[in-house]
Amino acid sequence: MLELKDIILSSNTIELPQPLSLTAEAGKVTTVTGPAGSGKTWLLKAIMGLAPHESGYITINGEVVTPDSAPFFRKHIAYVPQDVAMPPMTISEIIGQLWTLHSNSNKEFHHADLRRQWQVLDLDSQLWETTTDNIPAPTLRRMLLSVTPYLKRPILLVDMPCLDQTAEHQSRIRTFLQQQAEGGAIVLITDRPY
C-alpha cells in the first residue's frame, strides 16, 4: 500500500493549494486529477524519491520513503511517464534492455503474452521492429503500459496515459488499467475525471 499524508510539494514553479493526502491500495486505481502545471508529475517524482516535498510523508507498506530509502522502494514501482522521449531504438531493443536490468533479471518474459497485451491496447505487431522516432508518443505510452504486467511491481505510477489518445484507445487503456489493478496499486495522473 502507498500512502501520502499531508504532502506539500517543494518547487518554485508548483504550488498545491492545500496539503495532499491519499492512499493507493492493491486492487484499485487511485486517480489524481488537476490542470496542467498543478504538480501532478512532480507528485509522482516525489513518490519515487526523485523530487523533494516540504512537509508530510510518503510510505510504502508502512515504511517511510526517504532520500536514503528511495532507491530500495523504486524497485517496487513501475513508472510510465507522460514524456516518452526515447533514443531511436527498435521496440524489441528497448524491451530487451529492460530485461537486462538487474531488477528485472528474475522476471520471465514471453513474447506471445506481450502480443496479447498489445491486442488489448490496439498495438500493431509490426511495431516490434519499428524505431521509437517513427512511433507517435500516444502509441509509445500504450507500448510502455503493455510491458508493466511483466515487471511484477506492486505499485504502478502512470502519468497522463490518455493524453492525445483516441476515444477508443482511452477506453482500452482504462480496461487495461482495471485489469492490472488486480495485481497491485495504481496511481493514475490525469487532467480530467477518469
Side-chain angles (χ1 to χ4, degrees):
M1 179 174 73
L2 169 68
E3 181 182 13
L4 284 71
K5 183 70 173 168
D6 297 329
I7 293 295
I8 296 178
L9 298 177
S10 175
S11 169
N12 294 334
T13 59
I14 297 167
E15 185 175 323
L16 284 176
Q18 57 192 12
L20 175 70
S21 296
L22 68 83
T23 301
E25 298 178 21
K28 296 186 179 180
V29 177
T30 303
T31 306
V32 177
T33 306
S38 62
K40 300 180 305 291
T41 297
W42 193 266
L43 180 68
L44 293 184
K45 290 180 180 180
I47 291 169
M48 293 184 289
L50 299 173
H53 53 281
E54 289 181 9
S55 66
Y57 62 86
I58 300 169
T59 64
I60 295 178
N61 295 330
E63 299 291 327
V64 177
V65 179
T66 66
D68 290 334
S69 68
F72 169 79
F73 286 114
R74 280 195 294 273
K75 295 176 187 175
H76 301 276
I77 297 172
Y79 173 56
V80 178
Q82 174 183 342
D83 179 13
V84 290
M86 296 180 169
M89 300 170 62
T90 65
I91 299 304
S92 63
E93 290 171 328
I94 289 171
I95 291 174
Q97 284 191 357
L98 275 173
W99 262 257
T100 63
L101 297 174
H102 177 70
S103 60
N104 297 330
S105 62
N106 63 341
K107 298 177 176 62
E108 290 186 36
F109 172 77
H110 301 286
H111 192 255
D113 292 338
L114 182 64
R115 277 191 296 237
R116 283 191 283 280
Q117 299 297 344
W118 282 23
Q119 288 174 345
V120 171
L121 290 167
D122 192 31
L123 292 163
D124 190 318
S125 62
Q126 293 180 359
L127 288 172
W128 188 250
E129 291 304 328
T130 304
T131 57
T132 54
D133 54 344
N134 291 311
I135 302 173
T139 304
L140 278 173
R141 266 188 232 103
R142 293 197 322 275
M143 186 278 301
L144 289 173
L145 269 176
S146 74
V147 176
T148 60
Y150 306 100
L151 301 177
K152 296 186 178 12
R153 305 283 166 75
I155 298 170
L156 172 58
L157 307 177
V158 188
D159 195 358
M160 301 288 289
C162 292
L163 183 66
D164 299 327
Q165 303 281 359
T166 65
E168 178 189 348
H169 289 153
Q170 290 179 30
S171 176
R172 287 174 176 262
I173 289 168
R174 287 185 194 98
T175 299
F176 178 85
L177 291 173
Q178 284 301 133
Q179 291 170 350
Q180 298 316 307
E182 295 171 10
I186 296 177
V187 177
L188 170 66
I189 298 296
T190 180
D191 59 354
R192 61 187 68 129
Y194 176 64

